[in-house]
Amino acid sequence: MAMGDEFPRGRSLPAKAVDVSSRRRFLQRVAGAGAIAVGAPTLSAETLPVLESARVLGKPVAADPYGAPASFEANVIRRQSPGLTRTAESSIAFAPLQNLFGIITPNGLHFERDHNGRPDINPSQHRLAIHGMVASPKLYTMDDVLRMPSVSRIHFIECGANTGMEWGNAAVPTVQFTHGMLSCAEYTGVLLSTLLDDVGIDLKRARYVLAEGADGSSLTRTIPLAMALDDVMVVYGQNGEMLRPENGYPLRLVVPGVQGVSSVKWLRRIEVGDAPWYTREETLHYSDLMPDGKSRQFTWIQEAKSVITSPSGGMTLLDKGGYYEISGLAWSGRGRVKRVDVSTDGGRNWRTARLEEPVQRKSLSRFRADWVWDGSPALLQSRCMDDTGYVQPLLRQLREVRGTRSIYHNNAIQTWQVLASGEVRNVQV
């Protein structure tokens, strides 16, 4: 893929002041060595240029009642990968991970995966049915759901096909396209266990639930009952507001830690049964093609994974040498991230990165590490370990087990090559 103007370029990472003494000493040593410019001796309030904004009356309060990003951030958007899908209705828009801070994905930048276009649903007409192996099947209105006891929790959602284009070779240039089917939000809604209790689920016979969406594909997914009774949520709120249409308005399922297709959007029906349904999206897609030609079904969990988002592919380090902060995201569908290691020499040497709070279950975690670049070519990598002891594999290790013809569940270590020119490229080692 050629790199056009739509890809982020030319970013440099400024030094930042922090409140950790050891890190302050590190920066002082770097500054002492001349790697960071530490202020201009002639700088004062009188010498600062006065911008035009300080000379004129600004916009009135609430000029933009819902708010919007600054016009200068117009390049920070979701993007489709050219040629990846045949139609725009059954397609993917990737989140710009390289432009995001912290762990929360803004609602307008949350990755989008639709299977038959985005429906426009009137919440006053929307209903959620729960039936099957229950004592009292019910049809809930949105008002019914909004009146029930609620919870708010931060979780990531990752499509099972995230990094799927990289099984055979380094196919796409930026982290937006290698890892951008990933987002994290604070979700608000009702635990599915609360609803199943409300309808009187038959716990002696029930083993699975089926979730169905109200879009044109009637997307359906089987979910084990143990998950359904654990932390699965029926969600109407995301990051403090109602879900947006592309994220499932007015109601969606969130299945923490499990591949994103199970978090069915535009949720309209939950059926309780005693066996998997083997629906279209569980047989035709979302299964893992193994080296022996067999297909592995129901790979529920998104295993521990991490990626450096800055510096990352498509960026250019403007200063040829000096201090840069390495920053990225780590997550595990089995629990919490315990540790992230970073390498700048392609995995020959590793050091532990700083994990920023909060570090929560089945949520993204932000990691950071200091790096004084000597100006020579470098290979940047990150490696995640979760609280079960699982360690993110090398690409070679993953291919030994899974081959190269799969699409889904690629959680291998990502490598970014920094050239002496400062350009950063996607490579495989």
Side-chain angles (χ1 to χ4, degrees):
M1 176 184 294
M3 294 179 62
D5 292 339
E6 70 271 25
F7 296 107
R9 282 176 173 274
R11 181 179 177 186
S12 63
L13 308 178
K16 302 178 180 68
V18 295
D19 59 356
V20 181
S21 59
S22 60
R23 183 159 149 71
R24 186 181 299 115
R25 288 194 297 272
F26 171 84
L27 290 175
Q28 288 170 345
R29 289 199 302 272
V30 172
I36 298 176
V38 286
T42 59
L43 183 63
S44 68
E46 290 72 23
T47 61
L48 279 175
V50 178
L51 300 178
E52 184 62 20
S53 61
R55 304 178 187 277
V56 298
L57 187 63
K59 289 182 179 179
V61 171
D64 304 310
Y66 199 80
S71 60
F72 303 98
E73 303 299 322
N75 199 42
V76 182
I77 55 174
R78 291 180 289 224
R79 291 183 172 86
Q80 292 182 277
S81 183
L84 181 62
T85 57
R86 294 182 178 179
T87 71
E89 289 76 19
S90 180
S91 190
I92 303 156
F94 297 77
L97 302 183
Q98 70 281 355
N99 298 113
L100 303 183
F101 309 104
I103 61 172
I104 297 297
T105 309
N107 289 341
L109 297 176
H110 194 289
F111 87 91
E112 181 178 1
R113 171 72 168 112
D114 301 336
H115 292 77
N116 197 54
R118 179 195 307 170
D120 187 16
I121 296 175
N122 183 337
S124 66
Q125 299 174 357
H126 190 67
R127 300 291 184 271
L128 171 64
I130 302 183
H131 65 110
M133 293 180 176
V134 300
S136 305
K138 287 189 178 181
L139 197 61
Y140 295 88
T141 66
M142 283 301 299
D143 285 340
D144 293 334
V145 176
L146 287 163
R147 289 178 60 189
M148 302 193 74
S150 61
V151 296
S152 294
R153 295 177 179 177
I154 296 175
H155 290 301
F156 76 84
I157 294 180
E158 180 184 24
C159 178
N162 199 24
T163 322
M165 291 184 281
E166 301 285 301
W167 274 106
N169 59 283
V172 286
T174 70
V175 72
Q176 182 161 12
F177 293 118
T178 59
H179 290 74
M181 283 190 274
L182 169 75
S183 296
C184 185
E186 182 192 64
Y187 294 102
T188 298
V190 180
L191 287 172
L192 180 56
S193 58
T194 302
L195 288 160
L196 293 175
D197 184 61
D198 189 49
V199 296
I201 182 172
D202 184 350
L203 292 174
K204 291 184 178 178
R205 294 191 298 155
R207 295 293 180 270
Y208 296 90
V209 300
L210 180 78
E212 180 181 279
D215 61 325
S217 71
S218 296
L219 180 78
T220 45
R221 290 291 302 184
T222 298
I223 300 162
L225 186 63
M227 288 183 184
L229 296 178
D230 182 15
D231 53 6
V232 175
M233 300 170 65
V234 174
V235 163
Y236 46 78
Q238 180 173 323
N239 293 335
E241 64 177 3
M242 289 296 289
L243 289 167
R244 294 194 176 188
E246 67 268 33
N247 293 324
Y249 181 87
L251 211 58
R252 75 173 301 170
L253 207 63
V254 170
V255 186
V258 171
Q259 60 181 341
V261 68
S262 295
S263 293
V264 174
K265 299 194 289 188
W266 313 294
L267 182 67
R268 68 180 292 270
R269 188 170 71 91
I270 298 285
E271 183 176 352
V272 180
D274 58 2
W277 274 261
Y278 296 101
T279 67
R280 180 190 61 211
E281 301 298 338
E282 295 167 350
T283 53
L284 183 63
H285 298 297
Y286 299 98
S287 57
D288 298 315
L289 183 60
M290 305 301 283
D292 62 2
K294 294 182 180 179
S295 186
R296 184 177 69 181
Q297 283 184 290
F298 297 121
T299 303
W300 308 103
I301 304 297
Q302 296 295 110
E303 299 287 1
K305 188 172 176 179
S306 68
V307 65
I308 293 171
T309 56
S310 182
S312 62
M315 295 181 178
T316 299
L317 307 186
L318 297 181
D319 295 325
K320 307 302 185 292
Y323 174 81
Y324 288 90
E325 182 183 71
I326 294 172
S327 177
L329 296 166
W331 61 102
S332 170
R334 295 193 183 277
R336 287 182 174 82
V337 172
K338 182 178 181 181
R339 195 180 84 200
V340 176
D341 297 327
V342 168
S343 174
T344 58
D345 57 10
R348 289 197 297 273
N349 296 282
W350 295 90
R351 55 194 170 95
T352 301
R354 300 186 303 280
L355 276 178
E356 301 289 336
E357 295 291 344
V359 178
Q360 304 188 67
R361 293 182 73 249
K362 303 177 184 180
S363 168
L364 294 188
S365 294
R366 173 67 65 175
F367 67 85
R368 307 180 197 279
D370 302 313
W371 179 41
V372 179
W373 181 36
D374 63 8
S376 61
L379 294 170
L380 307 184
Q381 296 177 327
S382 64
R383 179 178 64 187
C384 174
M385 176 189 293
D386 68 17
D387 58 2
T388 71
Y390 178 95
V391 179
Q392 184 180 4
L394 299 168
L395 182 59
R396 170 182 53 77
Q397 294 171 318
L398 195 64
R399 283 173 172 166
E400 287 174 357
V401 177
R402 300 277 306 283
T404 60
R405 295 188 296 166
S406 187
I407 296 174
Y408 304 99
H409 307 112
N410 181 348
N411 69 322
I413 290 172
Q414 168 70 40
T415 304
W416 303 118
Q417 180 184 41
V418 181
L419 304 179
S421 64
E423 293 178 73
V424 186
R425 295 180 177 177
N426 179 17
V427 298
Q428 294 187 347
V429 297

